[in-house]
Amino acid sequence: MRVLGIESSCDELAAAVLEPDGRTLRAQVIHSQEDLHAKYGGIVPEVASRDHVRRLDAVLAETLEHAGLAVSDVDGIAVTRGPGLIGSLMCGLEFAKGLALALERPLLGVHHLEGHLASVALEDAAPAPPFTALLVSGGHTLLVEVRGPTGPYRILGRSRDDAAGEAFDKTAKMLGLGYPGGARIDRWARKGREDAVPFPRLMDGRDGYDFSFSGLKTHVRRHVTAHGVLAEQELADFCASFQRCLVDALLDRAVPAARQTGRLVLVGGVAANSALRAGAVQRGRAHGLDVFLPSVRFCTDNAAMIARAGQLRLGRGQRSDLRLSATARWSLADLCP
């Protein structure tokens, strides 16, 4: 089934056409709102949704032009239903519902996090379930045992407070680096020393597989208050040390959790982080794990992963009713049996 995917859960708007083999991406167009939100130091929901409304027609048209297809050539439509910003979600969902009705094509409302889990299935060397996924995306940090292409899923660990992506963004803002924080800290960290600034170790193995990053954020605030504006090398060293602390906290839990399946998969926007990718491969393989990383282009929010997640469920005969509504809060656990 050739599937049109639409993603509008936050500040990216994307459309993609995925061929029936589940690997061939016929076309994808991603419109980023980074410049719109940078001056505010973070995402403004109303700005995001209004820009989606303006861009939806053009993004779809460009995607179909690159694919060399008419919209009637798609066999099904997959769209992000949640979680995310409710206004942004509604833009994409209502647009997709209109297409499905006009074209008389099946519709599937996709869980955004299941999309991230499906992103690794876009690769030629995709791992077969079962595997353990470290899902690190925006406001979500989860360890998930994936038993099949569409689940069942078992949540092994989650963030008790701030997610890793939030820790990156809030730290970047305190350091005056702007938005998006994760990518900017990663760039600065490459010029610094990871052992230059002492950071507390975040929880320990006795706490199980859950995560907590609020203490890390507090440590950053105290350091910024005490030292003021950092010189260039001091800033690079601080970013490198901060990033190492956060990456260690993620892998200290992910690697032991993956021993049961023997496979560790890294997905989500933070999976584009260079230190996390390198650390996952090094530490995972040192512990006898097979490690799989999606291409960086499939880590951040994109429509290809939504198309793949929808394609898997549409292929099993699942359909969404046109009365489907967007939902800002939707736990991945709700997809578990």
Side-chain angles (χ1 to χ4, degrees):
M1 177 181 285
R2 178 184 287 151
V3 175
L4 169 66
I6 297 173
E7 153 61 21
S8 68
S9 64
C10 195
D11 61 331
E12 264 92 29
L13 174 63
V17 177
L18 186 65
E19 292 292 271
D21 63 3
R23 298 284 194 279
T24 304
L25 185 60
R26 187 75 174 251
Q28 174 165 241
V29 172
I30 301 176
H31 168 67
S32 173
Q33 298 177 352
E34 180 179 328
D35 292 341
L36 286 178
H37 300 286
K39 60 184 176 182
Y40 302 109
I43 298 168
V44 181
E46 181 69 14
V47 171
S49 57
R50 286 180 179 273
D51 192 63
H52 288 329
V53 171
R54 287 193 295 266
R55 305 274 184 175
L56 269 162
D57 280 332
V59 167
L60 175 61
E62 187 177 352
T63 302
L64 293 171
E65 181 181 356
H66 290 333
L69 299 170
V71 69
S72 58
D73 292 327
V74 303
D75 304 310
I77 300 170
V79 59
T80 306
R81 181 194 175 199
L85 301 177
I86 190 63
S88 293
L89 290 165
M90 289 173 64
C91 294
L93 179 59
E94 296 306 316
F95 186 81
K97 286 162 66 175
L99 284 176
L101 179 63
L103 298 171
E104 298 182 332
R105 297 293 190 271
L107 175 75
L108 200 290
V110 174
H111 194 296
H112 182 75
L113 300 187
E114 186 171 55
H116 279 300
L117 292 174
S119 65
V120 72
L122 293 162
E123 305 289 356
D124 291 333
F131 56 79
T132 304
L134 174 60
L135 197 167
V136 200
S137 172
H140 305 275
T141 301
L142 297 172
L143 272 170
V144 186
E145 188 176 280
V146 179
R147 307 302 301 181
T150 57
Y153 305 115
R154 179 179 168 222
I155 310 298
L156 304 176
R158 68 187 76 212
S159 178
R160 297 181 180 179
D161 38 60
D162 281 357
E166 291 172 322
F168 268 120
D169 285 340
K170 292 176 181 178
T171 293
K173 189 170 185 178
M174 285 187 277
L175 293 173
L177 298 181
Y179 172 84
R184 299 190 181 196
I185 286 177
D186 194 7
R187 286 195 293 269
W188 276 96
R190 295 174 194 180
K191 300 181 286 186
R193 289 175 37 234
E194 295 180 340
D195 61 348
V197 181
F199 274 86
R201 193 166 187 84
L202 304 182
M203 304 169 64
D204 57 38
R206 291 172 296 181
D207 295 294
Y209 297 136
D210 280 351
F211 304 91
S212 173
F213 297 105
S214 61
L216 180 59
K217 180 183 64 177
T218 300
H219 185 84
V220 171
R221 182 182 294 112
R222 288 174 177 169
H223 190 279
V224 170
T225 300
H227 295 84
V229 178
L230 302 178
E232 183 169 323
Q233 190 56 51
E234 292 175 325
L235 180 59
D237 289 343
F238 188 84
C239 287
S241 301
F242 165 84
Q243 183 168 269
R244 172 49 51 197
C245 176
L246 191 147
V247 166
D248 282 346
L250 291 171
L251 296 179
D252 283 350
R253 287 148 188 80
V255 169
R259 287 175 183 159
Q260 186 170 347
T261 62
R263 298 183 181 93
L264 175 62
V265 171
L266 193 64
V267 295
V270 181
N273 179 272
S274 62
L276 181 57
R277 294 174 74 87
V281 171
Q282 181 181 10
R283 290 178 58 173
R285 291 178 178 172
H287 286 82
L289 302 176
D290 293 325
V291 180
F292 299 87
L293 308 174
S295 302
V296 171
R297 66 180 179 141
F298 294 142
C299 291
T300 52
D301 291 351
N302 64 88
M305 70 181 192
I306 300 303
R308 182 57 178 151
Q311 187 182 60
L312 290 168
R313 290 191 176 271
L314 286 167
R316 287 163 170 75
Q318 297 184 31
R319 303 288 187 268
S320 293
D321 192 285
L322 289 179
R323 292 170 294 183
L324 184 71
S325 60
T327 176
R329 297 184 182 276
W330 187 11
S331 172
L332 187 65
D334 293 339
L335 302 183
C336 301

